[in-house]
Amino acid sequence: MFSTLGLFSQIRCPGDNRCLLPNCLFLHKKAEVAVNGSSSASSTSVGTPQDISADGENAASRKRRKLESTTSSAGVSSTPASNAHSRPSKQRSPVASVQPSATKAPVQEQRKPNAEIPPLQTARKPVSPPPSRRQPTATSQASQNGVSSDAAPSTSTKIQRKIGHGRGPAIETLNPRLLQMPPATHSLRRILVTRIHEQLVRLNNEGAESPKDFPKALLLSEQELIVMALDEEETIAIQNRVVYSNVIKNRLMRFTRMKLEEWKEIVSKRKGLVTEDQGLKPESPRLIETGLTVQEELIVLQRLKAPLTGLSQYGYVTTAPTEAEVEQARKGLETAAGWETCDRCKTRFQVFPGRREDGSLTAGGKCTYHWGKRFTQQRNPYDMSKPEKRYTCCNQPVGESSGCTKADCHVVKAGEAKRMASVLQFETTPANPNAPTDRAVCVDCEMCYTTYGLELVRLTATAWPKGEEIVDVLVRPMGEILDLNTRFSGITSQQLANAQPYQEGAEQGPTESTSSLRIVSSPSAARELLFKHIGPETPIVGHALENDFAAARIIHPYFVDSALLFPHRLRLPYRNSLKTLMKIHLNRNIQMTSDNKLGHDSKEDARAAGDLVRWAVGNEWMKLKREGWKIEDGELIAPGKASMPTPAVSAVGKGKKRAREDDGEDVERG
């Protein structure tokens, strides 16, 4: 491109040997010798290092290009004879081959093009096979060497089986498995694993001693017992890390009280001998066997009595509001002019008791709400993010939608005792010498929304512990009905409209269905009907009785509440639902909706609460028997004493602790 630059190639470089430019335009000493005829430009010869001066050698080494080949093994470098800085030639000069040698040897002549090239020495060397990915064990090495496997050292094999990488099963010990986030210290976990293992060994030995009732195929080996104990502890540590201590103690207590039949089912499922495909039937409901008579069960029931003190803050009405408080509530209602907050969607609206001039009962439009409860979605135990809450009705996240259900109007609850007393005053259970003393009474009420709030719409009472029907009537509310709450009450408008009036003294047989129920005129009439069958000393059994007592306006001094016997993990005011408790403790499904059944059945709920309390009575009696208590002449006798009056145990305190021991798992739902 710049042809005139080639004119400088014949001019000696001003820098001479001090020039460090790789492509200098001027002539250097080495190139000058080449031009004068010391070497041919057309052919390249390889000389010895002695043929080059020290200065020329240094200059050549500084001016050598990267594309020039260098043979370091013979100590000779091949360079072109032409000027290194001139234009490159199109024909590449051949390079002499040099034989490898430990010492310097004279350079051989240039090999002919057609001469045979000798093979490389490295091609004749034996090639070793690639290393195997899996290291052979001591046994395999011994077998290859012709040594017996019994005589070969088995240390590596034992180590591999210990960590579970060998061919055999992993050999584990009573050492808790490593977790990323352990719920407790290693020493505590080891103690709990050891205790669980002791109970598993005991149950396995009992099965071995009863070959007729316990098949030999269900017996576990020593290693299987250890693995089962570790699995039990690891499952609880991962799934219930926050309440690990309580849950694993409950599990240990269950193994301690476990009978051979239950142990047989657990081992059968674990070994896979009986599966659902092979005809495994679902677990049947648990039978309640206390080993006591009805009178003895009533004696033990006194220990589960709930105290009235300390319950008023959780909705239990223990004393009737005074006249001054009732008057204050009435003045407040007059001042509010009917403005309320909706119990379902929390919207402000106006209600008109007795109807407005145009016939309306409420103002504010339709109500959009979620009828289900909030629950925390189950997540990975290692996920430390904030848990997401959803609704049980539609599984939608809380806050994303206003509701999944629409109603024609808003509703009001009116849960204050003085406000409820302004409609109908509370009344303490009066003395009744005709009340039976050989039974307790299970009570359950259904409510509906009216212009006065939640009012009684059905009252049911059954005998405890056998479950015979005592009272089961529909109730006509005092206010105008806004919503019958059929989803939960199970009462429809047709049932109320077609119900026959209840007649005093007439034989009212057991009701087979809600369509045959009789109706009473008011909640006070239903309360008086119940008072005829109970007295102050009659134990009343139920679930969340503060709602039932508030609906019937009753203050009763002696009651046993299953919501207090089996408390929620967050304690009051949170409560476990009756449906959840029945499924956990008695393996029964209640409150199941179908085409012919809508909502709850108060008779079913009353009997279910009675069965839960009877199951708690059986557990309480087992505990007392282990401590040495006994029943004589209608009294509980403490160990080492002739007689002792029956103490009342607080259902809020010790009753909760006992219930948590009986409970196999924590319940998230309220």
Side-chain angles (χ1 to χ4, degrees):
M1 182 173 180
F2 300 97
S3 58
T4 56
L5 296 178
L7 301 176
F8 294 98
S9 61
Q10 302 300 325
I11 302 175
R12 187 177 183 86
C13 180
D16 200 9
N17 294 335
R18 297 186 302 276
C19 179
L20 299 178
L21 296 176
N23 297 318
C24 186
L25 301 177
F26 296 93
L27 176 67
H28 284 264
K29 187 175 183 180
K30 179 181 176 182
E32 182 179 345
V33 175
V35 172
N36 293 333
S38 61
S39 61
S40 177
S42 60
S43 62
T44 305
S45 63
V46 180
T48 61
Q50 289 82 1
D51 297 336
I52 303 175
S53 64
D55 294 340
E57 183 179 0
N58 294 337
S61 62
R62 290 196 301 266
K63 298 295 181 179
R64 186 180 297 121
R65 297 185 179 185
K66 292 183 179 181
L67 296 179
E68 296 175 356
S69 60
T70 304
T71 306
S72 59
S73 59
V76 180
S77 61
S78 62
T79 57
S82 61
N83 187 10
H85 307 285
S86 62
R87 297 178 181 178
S89 176
K90 295 183 180 180
Q91 183 179 2
R92 183 172 296 179
S93 61
V95 182
S97 62
V98 182
Q99 295 292 339
S101 176
T103 60
K104 294 183 179 181
V107 180
Q108 298 181 358
E109 297 180 358
Q110 183 177 359
R111 186 177 299 276
K112 296 180 180 181
N114 298 329
E116 182 180 358
I117 301 176
L120 298 176
Q121 293 183 359
T122 56
R124 297 191 296 270
K125 293 183 180 180
V127 180
S128 60
S132 60
R133 296 183 179 179
R134 189 173 183 179
Q135 297 296 333
T137 59
T139 306
S140 61
Q141 291 178 358
S143 61
Q144 292 177 3
N145 297 332
V147 183
S148 174
S149 59
D150 298 336
S154 58
T155 305
S156 60
T157 305
K158 289 183 178 180
I159 293 176
Q160 287 183 359
R161 292 191 176 186
K162 177 82 174 178
I163 62 178
H165 297 300
R167 295 181 179 178
I171 299 177
E172 294 187 283
T173 60
L174 291 176
N175 191 29
R177 291 167 181 163
L178 182 63
L179 298 177
Q180 184 177 0
M181 298 179 63
T185 60
H186 182 79
S187 58
L188 177 59
R189 293 179 62 199
R190 185 182 181 89
I191 292 173
L192 294 172
V193 168
T194 304
R195 292 185 179 179
I196 292 177
H197 178 260
E198 292 175 355
Q199 297 302 322
L200 299 183
V201 172
R202 176 187 63 82
L203 292 169
N204 194 60
N205 293 338
E206 290 180 1
E209 296 172 358
S210 304
K212 295 182 180 180
D213 301 332
F214 200 86
K216 187 177 180 180
L218 298 181
L219 294 178
L220 300 178
S221 63
E222 180 181 356
Q223 183 63 24
E224 288 175 336
L225 291 171
I226 294 176
V227 172
M228 185 175 179
L230 294 175
D231 290 344
E232 291 285 343
E233 191 276 338
E234 184 181 24
T235 301
I236 297 174
I238 293 177
Q239 297 180 356
N240 302 276
R241 186 174 61 88
V242 179
V243 288
Y244 167 80
S245 179
N246 292 336
V247 176
I248 197 169
K249 289 177 183 178
N250 294 339
R251 189 65 174 170
L252 179 60
M253 184 64 64
R254 180 182 177 186
F255 283 124
T256 304
R257 301 176 179 177
M258 188 175 293
K259 296 181 180 180
L260 194 60
E261 289 298 327
E262 188 177 357
W263 171 249
K264 180 179 177 180
E265 295 179 2
I266 293 177
V267 178
S268 299
K269 295 178 182 178
R270 183 175 181 84
K271 283 202 165 190
L273 299 180
V274 180
T275 60
E276 295 181 357
D277 297 336
Q278 298 173 355
L280 178 63
K281 296 181 180 180
E283 187 179 357
S284 58
R286 296 173 187 159
L287 298 177
I288 304 174
E289 297 179 357
T290 60
L292 302 172
T293 63
V294 175
Q295 292 297 331
E296 290 174 341
E297 288 181 358
L298 289 172
I299 293 173
V300 180
L301 182 65
Q302 298 177 23
R303 296 182 59 86
L304 307 181
K305 175 182 177 182
L308 294 179
T309 57
L311 293 179
S312 58
Q313 57 180 331
Y314 301 118
Y316 293 85
V317 181
T318 56
T319 57
T322 62
E323 290 296 333
E325 293 175 339
V326 173
E327 187 62 27
Q328 181 183 5
R330 289 172 180 168
K331 291 181 179 180
L333 291 175
E334 293 176 1
T335 305
W339 284 98
E340 303 285 354
T341 301
C342 181
D343 186 44
R344 297 186 294 205
C345 67
K346 309 306 177 185
T347 302
R348 292 283 293 174
F349 75 104
Q350 196 172 11
V351 62
F352 309 108
R355 296 186 182 274
R356 197 169 55 178
E357 292 80 2
D358 58 355
S360 301
L361 292 175
T362 61
K366 295 185 177 182
C367 178
T368 304
Y369 65 100
H370 291 281
W371 58 265
K373 297 181 180 179
R374 299 181 181 184
F375 74 98
T376 303
Q377 191 174 17
Q378 189 175 5
R379 55 178 181 163
N380 191 325
Y382 300 112
D383 186 6
M384 302 305 295
S385 61
K386 187 176 180 180
E388 184 180 27
K389 292 185 177 181
R390 294 177 177 267
Y391 290 102
T392 58
C393 51
C394 57
N395 201 34
Q396 293 183 4
V398 175
E400 288 193 0
S401 66
S402 58
C404 60
T405 307
K406 289 186 178 181
D408 294 334
C409 63
H410 300 283
V411 294
V412 58
K413 182 178 180 180
E416 285 186 307
K418 59 184 180 180
R419 180 171 177 180
M420 290 187 289
S422 65
V423 179
L424 178 64
Q425 180 61 278
F426 285 83
E427 187 174 344
T428 305
T429 305
N432 185 5
N434 298 326
T437 58
D438 59 345
R439 69 185 184 188
V441 176
C442 301
V443 175
D444 188 76
C445 298
E446 301 296 345
M447 284 77 75
C448 68
Y449 289 104
T450 70
T451 54
Y452 293 143
L454 271 177
E455 286 197 62
L456 182 65
V457 72
R458 182 182 178 183
L459 174 65
T460 304
T462 60
W464 186 89
K466 297 183 178 180
E468 300 93 343
E469 180 183 321
I470 298 176
V471 175
D472 193 7
V473 293
L474 295 177
V475 181
R476 195 176 303 280
M478 300 180 66
E480 293 82 1
I481 296 176
L482 298 178
D483 192 340
L484 281 172
N485 202 21
T486 306
R487 188 189 302 276
F488 297 102
S489 66
I491 306 300
T492 62
S493 57
Q494 292 80 5
Q495 293 175 0
L496 283 179
N498 301 329
Q500 298 296 321
Y502 182 84
Q503 298 178 0
E504 288 287 344
E507 296 252 344
Q508 307 288 342
T511 55
E512 300 296 334
S513 63
T514 55
S515 59
S516 59
L517 291 174
R518 300 297 183 99
I519 188 170
V520 294
S521 58
S522 63
S524 60
R527 181 177 61 185
E528 293 298 327
L529 183 61
L530 179 62
F531 282 163
K532 293 180 180 180
H533 301 277
I534 63 174
E537 300 82 12
T538 304
I540 290 185
V541 177
H543 182 80
L545 283 172
E546 77 280 6
N547 299 320
D548 303 315
F549 289 160
R553 306 296 198 269
I554 294 175
I555 299 176
H556 193 73
Y558 184 5
F559 64 91
V560 180
D561 196 338
S562 59
L564 300 180
L565 293 180
F566 306 97
H568 193 273
R569 64 183 183 88
L570 300 178
R571 301 303 178 97
L572 291 173
Y574 299 98
R575 297 170 178 83
N576 293 318
S577 65
L578 181 61
K579 181 177 181 179
T580 301
L581 293 177
M582 287 295 292
K583 183 61 179 178
I584 291 175
H585 299 292
L586 299 181
N587 196 35
R588 298 183 190 175
N589 294 318
I590 63 171
Q591 301 174 357
M592 306 299 291
T593 59
S594 62
D595 295 337
N596 299 326
K597 178 184 175 182
L598 296 175
H600 300 179
D601 185 354
S602 57
K603 186 187 298 184
E604 179 187 38
D605 293 350
R607 290 171 176 170
D611 290 342
L612 272 176
V613 172
R614 189 163 180 255
W615 187 73
V617 167
N619 293 335
E620 180 70 16
W621 174 238
M622 289 177 60
K623 177 183 176 182
L624 294 176
K625 280 203 310 183
R626 288 194 300 267
E627 295 175 357
W629 290 72
K630 56 184 178 179
I631 300 177
E632 289 184 1
D633 299 330
E635 293 183 355
L636 271 176
I637 300 177
K641 295 184 180 181
S643 179
M644 181 177 180
T646 304
V649 178
S650 171
V652 183
K654 296 183 179 179
K656 287 187 174 183
K657 181 178 180 181
R658 177 182 58 257
R660 292 184 67 84
E661 293 176 354
D662 296 335
D663 195 353
E665 61 181 272
D666 289 278
V667 183
E668 298 293 338
R669 294 174 291 180

